[in-house]
Amino acid sequence: MARPRIALLAAVMLAGAPAAAAERIDAAVTLNPVAGTISGRALIDTKRSRLSFRLAPGLAATAVSVNGRPLRVRDDGDGHWSARLDGSDAEQVVVEWQGRLPPLDPEDVGLGLSADGGFLPAGTAWLPETNADAFAWRLEVTLPQPQVAVATGRLVSEERSDGSYRAIFAAEPPAEPPSLFTGPFEVTERTADGRRLRAYLHHEVGALADGLLAAAERHIARFDRAIGDYPHEAFAIVTTPLPVGLGFPGLTYVGRQVVPLPFFAPRSLAHEILHDWWGNGVRVAYERGNWAEALTTYMADHALAAEDAPAEARRMRQQWLRDFAALPRDRDVPLRAFTAKAHDAAQVVGYGKGAFVFHMLRHEIGDDAFAAGLRRFWSEDRFRRAGWDDLRNAFEAASGRDLGWFFAQWLERPGAPRLSLEQAEADGTSVTVGLRQHGTPWRLSVPVRIETANGTVERTVPMSGASATVALDVPGSARALAVDPDHHLFRRLHPDETPPILRDVTLDAATRPVILTDDRDSAIDLANRMLDQPTPPLAPAAALEGEAPLLVIGTTEAVAAFLEEARLSGPPPAAAERGTARAWVATAGPRRSRAVAAAPAAALRALLRPLPHYRGDGWLVFEGRRMVARGQVTVSDSPLRVRFE
């Protein structure tokens, strides 16, 4: 799950001086989720000569006053409003507004208010909005019971009386503008180390509250020890009918269908909590690259997997390499260029490769220096905007080493090293290893594992040029050798190490959809969600004659007939005749083709949400929306392995 890519804007801009000078805004709003209506009043202290603000479609300013005197406000069109102030030294501006908000739309996640839930994020002009950066604010929210509200910032008070729920939230500078969430929540609370932990859950998942809060307490304590004190007084888990997982300061907003899944409490929740350090605590200077998603993925998803099951962490690293192998060369960019997950290709670089860079850095400088660097980065850059260079400075100070070469190599260069094993000879207790890099060399520390009669040993082969040959002493007669068998090095996998996955097709700009169902709208929607660069469908006859990679979507019978005519393989035995829908990478003869088939029966539309999340798999089985089985085709052994016997 990721932080929302929503502009964080202040409530009101007062022209005539820098926008950040607005030091405090007090706002009160009344919501009716059933009717979708909002009315509000915002008080701003200022010393400006001009007022301008924007309101979302459907909202309008009803009154503006300054120091208690009515002020004529001008509707400039397209939601923009403005007025001239008299420029006196002390001004109190009051803006009143009202209107109707759109209902929540699961197909187009954004500003919305419905009885089942409300999502009013900062930057969507549900409050009068401009381009101020950070300021103090106070927000009072009133709505009818059983509705409950929660906002970013500190919960000051709440009460239930006369059929209404009323709560006050506040934040001191430097604070982002408030985001507001509503719903018929069941509220569960616990206190841990003086912090208020709350779960705002829909009734159908309300029984999970205690387990979720216990997990949140563990995760916060873990990152407290590793990084430094949690930067907020409280943390909240808020469910939504929307299919999202979003992180806000001190709060995670997650689809109620996701909360019961087995990975949420142990992994995804940890990821969201860690964003309160990386992304919300130390903010990202996006013009210098987004480091936060990579560091959060490494310290939450990967680190927890490594603790619980090292084999799972190895599989995660292997999947990052496999995803990168599917990325077309013309879509690869340097890691520093990553700013947000705008598409699947960006995720492959920004999350997978980025997390791998932190993994290699930890191996390069050692666990102690890596941990010290993280704590130093937090203490020096907390509540500041930071970039990759700030991380480098922290790790250099912690390790006492110049790491310019490391960060320059992995941030500025696209691509990855490609290795081959040129020589592997054993002579008693000595093993000679010869490695070669193809293309412009990288500076590497290549892990090598050697199995001997007296056990297994790990060695490292340093490389700074195109080739390196070393003789390694081992404790017994050598039996086998493997280069980077546990995937500790970010590299381009050899074809024999790359089982076919859906991303081979979905990342390819040349892929064309083939629609084999009467429900063309659902099939085209699915194709557009699956493909990183959607293209118009190709007629089945043209697809049979062409060489383009294909995304075949249709009914089981129609897909089977097409694949037979195209001489492409059907689903693997593990997926055949199972579930309501199947997806797999089809093959032709001994070589893998660039075709993907998704073969739902009557439940094609059920795949719209879940299937795009599994593009790293080779085959999948679904029961409705639920994935029930997944896997990859077994590939031959790596050419980076050799047996001496």
Side-chain angles (χ1 to χ4, degrees):
M1 292 190 287
R3 284 175 52 77
R5 294 292 161 240
I6 300 169
L8 297 171
L9 304 175
V12 174
M13 177 176 72
L14 299 146
E23 295 181 354
R24 184 171 187 85
I25 296 172
D26 289 344
V29 297
T30 299
L31 303 171
N32 185 330
V34 174
T37 58
I38 181 174
S39 60
R41 182 177 187 271
L43 170 65
I44 309 100
D45 292 321
T46 184
K47 298 178 181 179
R48 299 292 173 259
S49 60
R50 186 171 181 80
L51 167 72
S52 64
F53 59 89
R54 185 175 71 88
L55 289 168
L59 306 185
T62 56
V64 177
S65 62
V66 56
N67 293 338
R69 303 186 305 275
L71 183 69
R72 184 173 180 177
V73 63
R74 185 176 68 190
D75 181 354
D76 296 324
D78 197 27
H80 292 272
W81 303 76
S82 64
R84 182 170 294 281
L85 307 177
D86 62 14
S88 61
D89 289 340
E91 306 282 6
Q92 280 200 334
V93 177
V94 174
V95 179
E96 298 180 36
W97 75 99
Q98 67 180 25
R100 188 180 300 275
L101 297 173
L104 283 183
D105 183 359
E107 299 299 321
D108 185 19
V109 174
L111 174 68
L113 182 63
S114 301
D116 204 23
F119 181 35
L120 287 70
T124 55
W126 62 276
L127 288 170
E129 168 225 274
T130 186
N131 61 350
D133 188 11
F135 54 93
W137 55 263
R138 180 181 181 276
L139 174 66
E140 178 182 319
V141 184
T142 303
L143 29 63
Q145 296 189 60
Q147 294 287 319
V148 175
V150 56
T152 52
R154 174 172 54 90
L155 175 62
V156 177
S157 66
E158 63 181 341
E159 62 180 17
R160 294 172 174 83
S161 62
D162 300 326
S164 294
Y165 173 88
R166 175 176 172 270
I168 298 174
F169 305 89
E172 300 303 321
E176 296 175 345
S179 293
L180 179 64
F181 315 85
T182 67
F185 301 130
E186 296 179 1
V187 183
T188 305
E189 179 178 316
R190 71 190 293 166
T191 302
D193 293 329
R195 302 184 186 102
R196 172 189 283 150
L197 308 181
R198 275 195 168 190
Y200 295 80
L201 306 182
H202 284 78
H203 174 73
E204 55 266 45
V205 293
L208 301 175
D210 288 338
L212 292 173
L213 293 177
E217 181 179 354
R218 290 193 303 272
H219 297 321
I220 291 174
R222 172 194 179 93
F223 298 131
D224 266 352
R225 293 190 300 269
I227 305 168
D229 288 344
Y230 182 67
H232 304 294
E233 297 178 5
F235 179 77
I237 303 164
V238 185
T239 58
T240 171
L242 299 174
V244 299
L246 302 174
F248 295 81
L251 181 150
T252 184
Y253 187 56
V254 60
R256 60 189 172 194
Q257 70 273 34
V258 174
V259 168
L261 298 177
F263 61 79
F264 177 73
R267 300 279 177 82
S268 298
L269 181 57
H271 185 107
E272 295 308 316
I273 287 173
L274 186 52
H275 267 309
D276 275 326
W277 279 269
W278 309 138
N280 291 324
V282 180
R283 296 196 290 270
V284 179
Y286 288 101
E287 72 278 5
R288 291 182 275 157
N290 182 348
W291 49 268
E293 296 298 352
L295 185 53
T296 302
T297 298
Y298 184 61
M299 289 189 66
D301 307 69
H302 181 272
L304 288 167
E307 270 189 14
D308 298 341
E312 173 62 16
R314 178 189 183 279
R315 188 208 64 78
M316 190 178 295
R317 294 191 300 273
Q318 182 181 28
Q319 187 62 55
W320 292 337
L321 296 179
R322 181 62 192 88
D323 291 341
F324 187 76
L327 184 67
R329 302 292 179 98
D330 62 354
R331 303 200 64 197
D332 185 19
V333 298
L335 179 56
R336 191 184 287 276
F338 169 75
T339 56
K341 182 188 170 184
H343 41 64
D344 200 33
Q347 180 175 359
V348 169
V349 174
Y351 287 66
K353 181 178 182 178
F356 229 116
V357 168
F358 285 108
H359 184 67
M360 293 186 294
L361 177 62
R362 183 171 66 84
H363 280 261
E364 180 68 32
I365 65 176
D367 292 348
D368 291 344
F370 186 79
L374 292 172
R375 290 191 292 270
R376 188 182 188 98
F377 181 54
W378 174 245
S379 65
E380 292 183 349
D381 292 282
R382 177 173 171 163
F383 298 135
R384 293 179 56 243
R385 295 172 70 251
W388 282 103
D389 292 340
D390 300 293
L391 274 162
R392 172 190 163 185
N393 292 339
F395 285 117
E396 286 185 334
S399 64
R401 293 178 52 185
D402 180 359
L403 297 171
W405 67 270
F406 181 92
F407 282 89
Q409 173 174 274
W410 295 111
L411 297 185
E412 311 299 342
R413 285 185 65 176
R418 185 162 62 91
L419 295 174
S420 62
L421 180 58
E422 301 289 309
Q423 182 181 1
E425 298 175 356
D427 183 8
T429 59
S430 178
V431 174
T432 300
V433 182
L435 299 176
R436 177 170 295 280
Q437 294 192 59
H438 301 271
T440 304
W442 301 65
R443 181 172 166 181
L444 307 173
S445 297
V446 183
V448 174
R449 175 180 295 161
I450 304 170
E451 297 176 23
T452 78
N454 296 327
T456 299
V457 295
E458 307 284 343
R459 298 286 187 263
T460 299
V461 177
M463 295 190 74
S464 56
S467 63
T469 301
V470 297
L472 304 171
D473 292 331
V474 294
S477 178
R479 294 177 174 175
L481 178 146
V483 177
D484 192 31
D486 288 333
H487 306 298
H488 290 302
L489 180 67
F490 190 77
R491 58 186 174 85
R492 193 170 294 281
L493 294 176
H494 188 278
D496 286 345
E497 298 178 285
T498 54
I501 60 173
L502 302 183
R503 271 198 179 94
D504 290 332
V505 174
T506 61
L507 284 175
D508 194 327
T511 297
R512 299 293 299 275
V514 178
I515 307 303
L516 303 173
T517 173
D518 292 337
D519 187 1
R520 291 185 61 84
D521 289 344
S522 294
I524 291 172
D525 282 351
L526 179 58
N528 290 340
R529 290 173 187 262
M530 288 293 292
L531 296 175
D532 228 28
Q533 297 177 313
T535 57
L538 194 62
L544 289 170
E545 297 175 359
E547 298 295 329
L550 305 175
L551 174 61
V552 182
I553 301 175
T555 61
T556 302
E557 297 78 7
V559 167
F562 177 85
L563 294 180
E564 181 177 4
E565 189 171 0
R567 298 183 180 180
L568 295 172
S569 63
E577 299 182 5
R578 294 180 61 187
T580 58
R582 292 153 296 284
W584 69 95
V585 182
T587 57
R591 297 185 61 189
R592 173 163 47 96
S593 80
R594 296 292 301 238
V596 172
L604 179 64
R605 196 155 197 89
L607 297 181
L608 287 174
R609 287 292 175 188
L611 183 56
H613 294 289
Y614 297 99
R615 285 175 283 202
D617 288 286
W619 59 266
L620 300 130
V621 177
F622 291 88
E623 289 284 357
R625 296 183 179 182
R626 187 167 59 94
M627 186 276 297
V628 295
R630 61 197 288 199
Q632 293 181 358
V633 176
T634 302
V635 296
S636 60
D637 200 11
S638 167
L640 297 179
R641 302 171 186 262
V642 64
R643 296 200 67 85
F644 297 121
E645 297 176 332

